Amino acid sequence: MASAKRQAKLQAIGESPRVSVLIIGGGVNGIGAFRDLALQGVDALLVERGDFGSGTSAASSHMLHGGLRYLENGEIRLVNEALRERDRLLVNAPHYAKPLRTTIPVFRWFSGLLNAPLKFAGLLDKPGERGALVIKLGLTFYDFLARSSRVMPKHEFRRRNEALREYPALNPAVLCAAAYYDAWMPYPERICMEMVLDAEARNPACRALNYVSAVAGAGAGVLLRDELTGSALRVQPKVVVNAAGPWIDLVNGAVAPGGERFIGGAKGSHLILDHPALLEATRGSEFYFENDDGRPVLILPYFDRVMIGTTDIRIDDPDQARATDAEIDYLLAMVNKVFPAIKPERSQIVFTFAGVRPLPISTGVGAGQISRDHSIRTLAPTEERTYPIHALIGGKWTTFRAFAEQTADLVLGNLGVPRRAGTADLPIGGGRDYPRGDSAREAWLRELAAESALPLERLRQLFERYGTRAASFARFIGCRDDRPLSHHAAYSRRELAFIMREEKVERLDDLLLRRSLIAMLGQVTPGLMHELAEIAAESLGWSAQRKAEEITRAQAILRHKHRVEL
């Protein structure tokens, strides 16, 4: 059982506390570095205070993009890197990285021409609306940067009448609409999970533990605490990587007190709506535009829901990140600019989420103007602490692999270990041996159907959720009798039992929020909550008391963090 495996790892660490690298923080940047180091044969221990991918990595806009608006800030290197990494993810994780048509409605011809020089001169500290000419120049350069690895079409411009024919609900005040392609990820938390599993499978000397926090550091050791049991253990790393995102300063304060601040976080909130009319209005395209205050916002079709976001607000305590009433009002109102006949209401919100971007500390500029590039700040060893601490600052979901490579190279230099493998062409989880094209996919599914005796339709469902890892699910499901859940027929008991057994589930909310989209799509009911808790109890050996505690905890998290009332 998963909990037994976890206890065995904790016991092994206690018996042999020396480790080459300790990574604190199990978001995408920490996990990316963990995976890269595993390939180099380095023994690494990754600890995460909560669940893997549960912080900033779960709270993104689900975009994989080059960052079109960063061109205006002159961040050519970042955009170029992000476009390359976006295209790599489309190849390496095709089950979780999908092409996305993006539409920019344009309401002015020449606005924004002076944005870039005014920002450079320090005379503009907030976004300004971009007109058609600026957007055309930006998209042309965007296409130019992506030319060497082009996997998607170039941009297009449509004049008003053509745009309104394609999108009948679009604001008739539009002058034209630009369309280009980026990418999106429906399951960012599952990308994190699959990279953890890949790393441990590749290198058994690498271990990843959720619900373990770093609470102190001195001499050659770091004190860790098991957040599930309260027990403590000490490890002795040669190098520490602080990948705690917006919590970096808090981790440094515990492990290496007295250092400078690195992080100036900015909160971004999103809403998930059950709004068929708005979903239909998008015609499958993301809408990306500037709100009346100049803030870039988006409307994203998300399965049978719609995601809208995002805000950009300074915040000091990342643990307090919630979507406020004011943010909800702001996000609902911004739909009016693009689709004036559609009036979303609070009653149509099925889920909210907010995260904190781990931006470098900065003063005198708005949060939206701070660079999204990544960097590493190092705390050198001292007389009181024998190991260096490398803090990973900033970064974007799209560029995590490049950031992880940069981090791993620095750590390898500390250890005197040569790089022996790269990750640029390394498939992720269910992207391995992924069948390309409809005919190849059908052949793959038919072969699996013959092996597992599961119906083709069921295998297609598993393939859509897990890529080629559907084969492992199918073998497990097919071993015994299975049945759909009573309260969510799209999932089965054996499918969820496999997730419990293989994917480091320790809490009920891990399953609801990060191993599936059940909560995010607004599908949780009291009956389903109890049914899932029952399966978890059977799979993980929970007592009746533990099962009741997990239900209470999950309900509280959904209510306080996501505004979901059950």
Side-chain angles (χ1 to χ4, degrees):
M1 291 183 292
S3 292
K5 292 179 184 178
R6 183 175 187 277
Q7 286 305 118
K9 283 186 180 180
L10 287 167
Q11 182 176 345
I13 293 166
E15 293 171 353
S16 181
R18 295 183 183 276
V19 62
S20 292
V21 185
L22 171 65
I23 301 172
I24 303 170
V28 69
N29 288 334
I31 290 171
F34 179 70
R35 180 183 71 142
D36 199 312
L37 289 168
L39 291 175
Q40 317 317 321
V42 173
D43 60 298
L45 171 63
L46 182 147
V47 297
E48 162 58 43
R49 181 185 68 165
D51 188 25
F52 302 112
S54 62
T56 298
S57 297
S60 77
S61 296
H62 290 52
M63 295 292 102
L64 296 167
H65 64 102
L68 179 62
R69 69 186 179 94
Y70 307 148
L71 291 174
E72 191 174 78
N73 296 339
E75 297 185 274
I76 307 302
R77 191 213 67 79
L78 173 60
V79 176
N80 203 16
E81 178 182 79
L83 287 170
R84 289 197 308 270
E85 294 301 319
R86 177 201 69 184
D87 292 348
R88 282 173 173 149
L89 270 168
L90 286 166
V91 174
N92 293 333
H95 57 320
Y96 294 150
K98 307 289 185 180
L100 176 67
R101 189 168 189 263
T102 300
T103 298
I104 305 175
V106 184
F107 298 92
R108 299 179 185 274
W109 289 117
F110 303 109
S111 178
L113 287 171
L114 296 178
N115 283 5
L118 287 174
K119 286 180 183 178
F120 183 80
L123 300 175
L124 183 67
D125 65 352
K126 65 178 182 179
E129 185 171 4
R130 291 113 179 133
L133 180 57
V134 169
I135 292 171
K136 178 67 176 177
L137 290 171
L139 287 173
T140 299
F141 194 41
Y142 205 62
D143 286 341
F144 174 77
L145 292 175
R147 70 194 183 283
S148 61
S149 60
R150 182 171 305 285
V151 296
M152 291 184 287
K154 293 182 179 181
H155 80 274
E156 300 174 338
F157 257 76
R158 288 175 169 79
R159 297 295 290 264
R160 177 179 178 275
N161 288 342
E162 189 178 358
L164 290 173
R165 279 197 298 271
E166 185 171 8
Y167 304 107
L170 187 60
N171 190 337
V174 71
L175 297 176
C176 56
Y180 69 102
Y181 277 83
D182 260 326
W184 74 298
M185 46 183 176
Y187 300 97
E189 300 92 336
R190 291 202 58 82
I191 296 176
C192 290
M193 187 70 255
E194 290 194 355
M195 288 197 294
V196 168
L197 298 176
D198 287 351
E200 290 187 326
R202 186 69 175 259
N203 183 350
C206 285
R207 293 163 292 189
L209 289 162
N210 48 359
Y211 299 102
V212 173
S213 58
V215 295
V222 176
L223 184 65
L224 305 178
R225 180 174 62 224
D226 180 355
E227 296 293 336
L228 297 180
T229 66
S231 62
L233 66 158
R234 186 177 294 274
V235 296
Q236 298 175 21
K238 296 177 181 177
V239 182
V240 170
V241 174
N242 183 350
W247 293 272
I248 278 174
D249 290 334
L250 296 175
V251 169
N252 280 346
V255 179
E260 63 178 301
R261 285 184 60 198
F262 292 152
I263 297 296
K267 181 181 67 166
S269 293
H270 301 76
L271 313 179
I272 304 293
L273 304 178
D274 181 2
H275 199 308
L278 182 57
L279 181 65
E280 171 61 22
T282 67
R283 299 293 178 95
S285 176
E286 175 200 20
F287 275 75
Y288 178 67
F289 57 100
E290 285 125 5
N291 202 8
D292 292 334
D293 60 357
R295 166 70 197 154
V297 290
L298 61 90
I299 301 172
L300 172 69
Y302 193 73
F303 297 94
D304 61 346
R305 306 292 195 236
V306 182
M307 179 191 299
I308 63 176
T310 175
T311 55
D312 208 346
I313 300 169
R314 299 274 191 163
I315 186 171
D316 292 325
D317 183 357
D319 287 322
Q320 299 304 312
R322 308 282 191 278
T324 65
D325 286 337
E327 288 177 293
I328 290 173
D329 290 340
Y330 173 88
L331 292 171
L332 292 176
M334 67 87 165
V335 173
N336 179 73
K337 180 164 183 177
V338 177
F339 301 115
I342 296 174
K343 309 293 184 184
E345 300 176 356
R346 282 176 174 257
S347 61
Q348 294 165 312
I349 299 171
V350 299
F351 191 81
T352 74
F353 64 98
V356 179
R357 307 170 183 91
L359 305 179
I361 193 166
S362 179
T363 58
V365 298
Q369 304 307 304
I370 301 174
S371 174
R372 267 53 172 174
D373 208 345
H374 50 78
S375 62
I376 302 174
R377 300 288 297 273
T378 298
L379 301 178
T382 64
E383 292 182 1
E384 294 79 22
R385 173 177 42 80
T386 63
Y387 43 84
I389 300 175
H390 301 304
L392 309 189
I393 312 298
K396 290 160 41 66
W397 238 106
T398 315
T399 58
F400 80 84
R401 190 211 63 84
F403 197 7
E405 185 175 73
Q406 178 189 0
T407 304
D409 284 341
L410 179 59
V411 171
L412 292 173
N414 294 150
L415 300 174
V417 175
R419 173 173 284 278
R420 67 188 196 191
T423 57
D425 302 313
L426 184 66
I428 294 172
R432 189 173 294 107
D433 301 321
Y434 194 84
R436 307 284 175 170
D438 293 343
S439 59
R441 181 172 63 253
E442 285 303 304
W444 188 89
L445 289 168
R446 289 184 184 281
E447 184 176 339
L448 183 57
E451 176 189 343
S452 67
L454 293 184
L456 264 176
E457 205 51 46
R458 175 66 168 137
L459 293 177
R460 289 191 185 98
Q461 186 182 57
L462 294 173
F463 183 80
E464 286 300 310
R465 284 183 188 148
Y466 312 112
T468 54
R469 286 190 74 229
S472 297
F473 277 83
R475 294 183 191 107
F476 181 84
I477 291 169
C479 284
R480 296 182 186 174
D481 289 340
D482 190 25
R483 68 178 188 271
L485 299 186
S486 299
H487 297 278
H488 197 317
Y491 286 90
S492 76
R493 296 181 67 87
R494 294 279 294 170
E495 177 184 355
L496 295 179
F498 183 79
I499 291 175
M500 300 282 187
R501 191 184 79 165
E502 299 295 329
E503 295 190 352
K504 299 178 183 287
V505 172
E506 298 295 338
R507 315 297 306 242
L508 182 57
D509 53 284
D510 297 344
L511 179 61
L512 290 168
L513 289 164
R514 289 171 291 278
R515 305 302 185 274
S516 75
L517 294 176
I518 289 172
M520 195 165 180
L521 295 177
Q523 298 169 344
V524 183
T525 64
L528 178 61
M529 179 86 78
H530 283 79
E531 187 174 18
L532 294 178
E534 176 193 336
I535 297 170
E538 292 174 1
S539 301
L540 305 178
W542 291 349
S543 65
Q545 179 182 348
R546 174 71 186 277
K547 183 173 74 170
E549 289 171 351
E550 289 296 327
I551 291 172
T552 299
R553 168 190 158 90
Q555 289 173 331
I557 289 172
L558 289 173
R559 181 170 60 253
H560 293 306
K561 293 192 70 174
H562 305 292
R563 290 178 173 255
V564 176
E565 295 287 348
L566 295 177

Short mmCIF file of all heavy atoms in Angstrom, two decimals, residues 335-371:
data_model
loop_
_atom_site.label_atom_id
_atom_site.label_comp_id
_atom_site.label_asym_id
_atom_site.label_seq_id
_atom_site.Cartn_x
_atom_site.Cartn_y
_atom_site.Cartn_z
N VAL A 335 -15.61 39.66 -18.90
CA VAL A 335 -16.18 38.95 -20.04
C VAL A 335 -16.95 39.91 -20.94
O VAL A 335 -17.01 39.74 -22.17
CB VAL A 335 -17.09 37.80 -19.54
CG1 VAL A 335 -17.83 37.14 -20.70
CG2 VAL A 335 -16.27 36.77 -18.77
N ASN A 336 -17.54 40.93 -20.34
CA ASN A 336 -18.36 41.89 -21.07
C ASN A 336 -17.60 42.57 -22.20
O ASN A 336 -18.20 42.93 -23.23
CB ASN A 336 -18.90 42.94 -20.10
CG ASN A 336 -19.75 43.98 -20.80
OD1 ASN A 336 -20.87 43.71 -21.21
ND2 ASN A 336 -19.21 45.19 -20.96
N LYS A 337 -16.30 42.76 -22.05
CA LYS A 337 -15.54 43.48 -23.08
C LYS A 337 -15.53 42.71 -24.40
O LYS A 337 -15.55 43.31 -25.48
CB LYS A 337 -14.11 43.73 -22.62
CG LYS A 337 -13.27 44.46 -23.67
CD LYS A 337 -12.01 45.05 -23.12
CE LYS A 337 -11.29 45.83 -24.21
NZ LYS A 337 -10.05 46.49 -23.72
N VAL A 338 -15.51 41.38 -24.31
CA VAL A 338 -15.40 40.56 -25.52
C VAL A 338 -16.76 40.02 -25.96
O VAL A 338 -17.08 40.00 -27.14
CB VAL A 338 -14.41 39.40 -25.28
CG1 VAL A 338 -14.35 38.49 -26.49
CG2 VAL A 338 -13.03 39.95 -24.98
N PHE A 339 -17.57 39.59 -24.99
CA PHE A 339 -18.88 39.02 -25.30
C PHE A 339 -19.95 39.79 -24.52
O PHE A 339 -20.44 39.32 -23.47
CB PHE A 339 -18.92 37.53 -24.94
CG PHE A 339 -17.90 36.69 -25.66
CD1 PHE A 339 -16.88 36.06 -24.95
CD2 PHE A 339 -17.94 36.54 -27.03
CE1 PHE A 339 -15.94 35.28 -25.59
CE2 PHE A 339 -17.00 35.78 -27.70
CZ PHE A 339 -16.00 35.14 -26.98
N PRO A 340 -20.34 40.98 -24.98
CA PRO A 340 -21.21 41.86 -24.18
C PRO A 340 -22.60 41.30 -23.91
O PRO A 340 -23.25 41.71 -22.94
CB PRO A 340 -21.27 43.14 -25.01
CG PRO A 340 -20.87 42.74 -26.39
CD PRO A 340 -19.91 41.61 -26.24
N ALA A 341 -23.07 40.37 -24.72
CA ALA A 341 -24.42 39.83 -24.49
C ALA A 341 -24.42 38.71 -23.46
O ALA A 341 -25.49 38.24 -23.06
CB ALA A 341 -25.00 39.32 -25.80
N ILE A 342 -23.23 38.27 -23.03
CA ILE A 342 -23.13 37.16 -22.08
C ILE A 342 -22.81 37.73 -20.70
O ILE A 342 -21.83 38.46 -20.54
CB ILE A 342 -22.06 36.16 -22.52
CG1 ILE A 342 -22.47 35.52 -23.85
CG2 ILE A 342 -21.83 35.09 -21.46
CD1 ILE A 342 -21.42 34.61 -24.46
N LYS A 343 -23.66 37.42 -19.73
CA LYS A 343 -23.51 37.98 -18.39
C LYS A 343 -23.30 36.84 -17.38
O LYS A 343 -24.26 36.33 -16.80
CB LYS A 343 -24.76 38.78 -18.00
CG LYS A 343 -25.21 39.81 -19.03
CD LYS A 343 -24.21 40.94 -19.17
CE LYS A 343 -24.73 42.00 -20.15
NZ LYS A 343 -23.74 43.07 -20.38
N PRO A 344 -22.06 36.40 -17.18
CA PRO A 344 -21.84 35.31 -16.21
C PRO A 344 -22.19 35.75 -14.80
O PRO A 344 -22.00 36.92 -14.43
CB PRO A 344 -20.34 35.02 -16.35
CG PRO A 344 -19.75 36.25 -16.94
CD PRO A 344 -20.81 36.86 -17.79
N GLU A 345 -22.67 34.81 -14.02
CA GLU A 345 -23.09 35.09 -12.65
C GLU A 345 -22.33 34.21 -11.66
O GLU A 345 -21.80 33.16 -12.03
CB GLU A 345 -24.61 34.84 -12.51
CG GLU A 345 -25.45 35.72 -13.43
CD GLU A 345 -26.93 35.38 -13.34
OE1 GLU A 345 -27.26 34.40 -12.62
OE2 GLU A 345 -27.74 36.08 -13.97
N ARG A 346 -22.33 34.63 -10.42
CA ARG A 346 -21.64 33.87 -9.39
C ARG A 346 -22.19 32.45 -9.26
O ARG A 346 -21.45 31.51 -8.93
CB ARG A 346 -21.75 34.58 -8.03
CG ARG A 346 -20.79 35.76 -7.89
CD ARG A 346 -21.01 36.49 -6.58
NE ARG A 346 -19.99 37.53 -6.39
CZ ARG A 346 -18.94 37.42 -5.59
NH1 ARG A 346 -18.78 36.32 -4.88
NH2 ARG A 346 -18.08 38.40 -5.47
N SER A 347 -23.47 32.28 -9.50
CA SER A 347 -24.08 30.96 -9.37
C SER A 347 -23.50 29.96 -10.38
O SER A 347 -23.66 28.74 -10.21
CB SER A 347 -25.59 31.05 -9.55
OG SER A 347 -25.91 31.53 -10.85
N GLN A 348 -22.85 30.46 -11.42
CA GLN A 348 -22.27 29.58 -12.44
C GLN A 348 -20.82 29.21 -12.16
O GLN A 348 -20.22 28.45 -12.91
CB GLN A 348 -22.38 30.26 -13.81
CG GLN A 348 -23.83 30.43 -14.26
CD GLN A 348 -23.98 31.41 -15.42
OE1 GLN A 348 -23.43 32.51 -15.40
NE2 GLN A 348 -24.73 31.01 -16.43
N ILE A 349 -20.27 29.73 -11.07
CA ILE A 349 -18.91 29.37 -10.68
C ILE A 349 -18.93 28.01 -9.99
O ILE A 349 -19.65 27.81 -9.01
CB ILE A 349 -18.32 30.43 -9.72
CG1 ILE A 349 -18.26 31.81 -10.40
CG2 ILE A 349 -16.92 30.01 -9.26
CD1 ILE A 349 -17.88 32.93 -9.44
N VAL A 350 -18.14 27.06 -10.49
CA VAL A 350 -18.09 25.73 -9.88
C VAL A 350 -16.78 25.52 -9.12
O VAL A 350 -16.67 24.56 -8.33
CB VAL A 350 -18.28 24.62 -10.92
CG1 VAL A 350 -19.64 24.73 -11.58
CG2 VAL A 350 -17.16 24.61 -11.95
N PHE A 351 -15.80 26.40 -9.31
CA PHE A 351 -14.50 26.22 -8.67
C PHE A 351 -13.72 27.52 -8.83
O PHE A 351 -13.83 28.20 -9.85
CB PHE A 351 -13.75 25.08 -9.37
CG PHE A 351 -12.51 24.58 -8.67
CD1 PHE A 351 -12.60 23.69 -7.62
CD2 PHE A 351 -11.26 24.98 -9.10
CE1 PHE A 351 -11.45 23.20 -6.99
CE2 PHE A 351 -10.10 24.50 -8.47
CZ PHE A 351 -10.21 23.61 -7.42
N THR A 352 -12.94 27.87 -7.83
CA THR A 352 -12.00 28.98 -7.94
C THR A 352 -10.64 28.51 -7.47
O THR A 352 -10.53 27.58 -6.66
CB THR A 352 -12.43 30.19 -7.07
OG1 THR A 352 -12.18 29.90 -5.70
CG2 THR A 352 -13.90 30.54 -7.27
N PHE A 353 -9.59 29.12 -7.99
CA PHE A 353 -8.26 28.81 -7.48
C PHE A 353 -7.36 30.03 -7.62
O PHE A 353 -7.57 30.88 -8.48
CB PHE A 353 -7.65 27.58 -8.16
CG PHE A 353 -7.40 27.70 -9.64
CD1 PHE A 353 -6.14 28.02 -10.13
CD2 PHE A 353 -8.42 27.46 -10.56
CE1 PHE A 353 -5.90 28.10 -11.50
CE2 PHE A 353 -8.19 27.54 -11.93
CZ PHE A 353 -6.92 27.86 -12.40
N ALA A 354 -6.38 30.09 -6.75
CA ALA A 354 -5.44 31.21 -6.74
C ALA A 354 -4.07 30.68 -6.38
O ALA A 354 -3.93 29.78 -5.56
CB ALA A 354 -5.88 32.28 -5.74
N GLY A 355 -3.06 31.25 -6.99
CA GLY A 355 -1.68 30.88 -6.69
C GLY A 355 -0.81 32.12 -6.67
O GLY A 355 -1.24 33.21 -7.08
N VAL A 356 0.42 31.94 -6.21
CA VAL A 356 1.35 33.06 -6.09
C VAL A 356 2.56 32.80 -6.98
O VAL A 356 3.24 31.78 -6.83
CB VAL A 356 1.79 33.26 -4.63
CG1 VAL A 356 2.78 34.43 -4.53
CG2 VAL A 356 0.58 33.52 -3.74
N ARG A 357 2.80 33.72 -7.88
CA ARG A 357 3.96 33.61 -8.76
C ARG A 357 5.23 33.93 -7.95
O ARG A 357 5.29 34.96 -7.30
CB ARG A 357 3.83 34.59 -9.92
CG ARG A 357 2.52 34.45 -10.69
CD ARG A 357 2.34 35.60 -11.68
NE ARG A 357 1.05 35.53 -12.38
CZ ARG A 357 -0.07 36.12 -11.94
NH1 ARG A 357 -0.05 36.83 -10.82
NH2 ARG A 357 -1.19 36.02 -12.62
N PRO A 358 6.26 33.07 -8.03
CA PRO A 358 7.47 33.31 -7.23
C PRO A 358 8.42 34.30 -7.93
O PRO A 358 9.53 33.95 -8.34
CB PRO A 358 8.09 31.91 -7.13
CG PRO A 358 7.68 31.24 -8.41
CD PRO A 358 6.31 31.78 -8.75
N LEU A 359 7.97 35.54 -8.05
CA LEU A 359 8.73 36.54 -8.79
C LEU A 359 9.86 37.12 -7.93
O LEU A 359 9.75 37.14 -6.70
CB LEU A 359 7.80 37.67 -9.24
CG LEU A 359 6.58 37.24 -10.05
CD1 LEU A 359 5.73 38.46 -10.40
CD2 LEU A 359 7.00 36.50 -11.32
N PRO A 360 10.93 37.59 -8.56
CA PRO A 360 11.99 38.22 -7.77
C PRO A 360 11.48 39.49 -7.11
O PRO A 360 10.64 40.20 -7.67
CB PRO A 360 13.07 38.52 -8.82
CG PRO A 360 12.35 38.56 -10.12
CD PRO A 360 11.23 37.57 -10.01
N ILE A 361 11.98 39.76 -5.92
CA ILE A 361 11.55 40.95 -5.20
C ILE A 361 11.92 42.18 -6.01
O ILE A 361 12.99 42.29 -6.60
CB ILE A 361 12.17 40.98 -3.79
CG1 ILE A 361 11.47 42.03 -2.95
CG2 ILE A 361 13.68 41.17 -3.83
CD1 ILE A 361 11.78 41.90 -1.46
N SER A 362 10.98 43.12 -6.08
CA SER A 362 11.18 44.31 -6.90
C SER A 362 10.32 45.43 -6.33
O SER A 362 9.25 45.19 -5.79
CB SER A 362 10.78 44.03 -8.35
OG SER A 362 10.95 45.16 -9.16
N THR A 363 10.80 46.64 -6.45
CA THR A 363 10.05 47.80 -5.99
C THR A 363 9.91 48.81 -7.12
O THR A 363 10.74 48.85 -8.04
CB THR A 363 10.76 48.49 -4.80
OG1 THR A 363 12.09 48.88 -5.21
CG2 THR A 363 10.86 47.55 -3.61
N GLY A 364 8.85 49.58 -7.07
CA GLY A 364 8.68 50.67 -8.01
C GLY A 364 8.01 50.31 -9.31
O GLY A 364 7.82 51.17 -10.17
N VAL A 365 7.65 49.02 -9.51
CA VAL A 365 6.94 48.63 -10.73
C VAL A 365 5.74 47.78 -10.34
O VAL A 365 5.71 47.15 -9.28
CB VAL A 365 7.85 47.84 -11.70
CG1 VAL A 365 9.01 48.70 -12.16
CG2 VAL A 365 8.35 46.56 -11.07
N GLY A 366 4.74 47.75 -11.22
CA GLY A 366 3.58 46.92 -10.99
C GLY A 366 3.94 45.45 -11.11
O GLY A 366 4.91 45.08 -11.78
N ALA A 367 3.14 44.59 -10.46
CA ALA A 367 3.43 43.15 -10.48
C ALA A 367 3.49 42.60 -11.89
O ALA A 367 4.29 41.72 -12.20
CB ALA A 367 2.37 42.41 -9.66
N GLY A 368 2.63 43.13 -12.78
CA GLY A 368 2.60 42.63 -14.14
C GLY A 368 3.82 42.96 -14.96
O GLY A 368 4.05 42.39 -16.03
N GLN A 369 4.65 43.89 -14.48
CA GLN A 369 5.83 44.31 -15.22
C GLN A 369 7.10 43.59 -14.76
O GLN A 369 8.17 43.78 -15.33
CB GLN A 369 6.03 45.82 -15.08
CG GLN A 369 4.82 46.64 -15.52
CD GLN A 369 4.36 46.28 -16.92
OE1 GLN A 369 5.14 46.36 -17.87
NE2 GLN A 369 3.11 45.88 -17.05
N ILE A 370 7.02 42.77 -13.71
CA ILE A 370 8.19 42.05 -13.22
C ILE A 370 8.48 40.87 -14.15
O ILE A 370 7.58 40.15 -14.55
CB ILE A 370 7.97 41.56 -11.79
CG1 ILE A 370 7.68 42.74 -10.86
CG2 ILE A 370 9.19 40.80 -11.28
CD1 ILE A 370 7.29 42.33 -9.45
N SER A 371 9.74 40.67 -14.48
CA SER A 371 10.13 39.61 -15.40
C SER A 371 9.68 38.24 -14.91
O SER A 371 9.75 37.93 -13.73
CB SER A 371 11.65 39.62 -15.60
OG SER A 371 12.05 38.51 -16.38
#
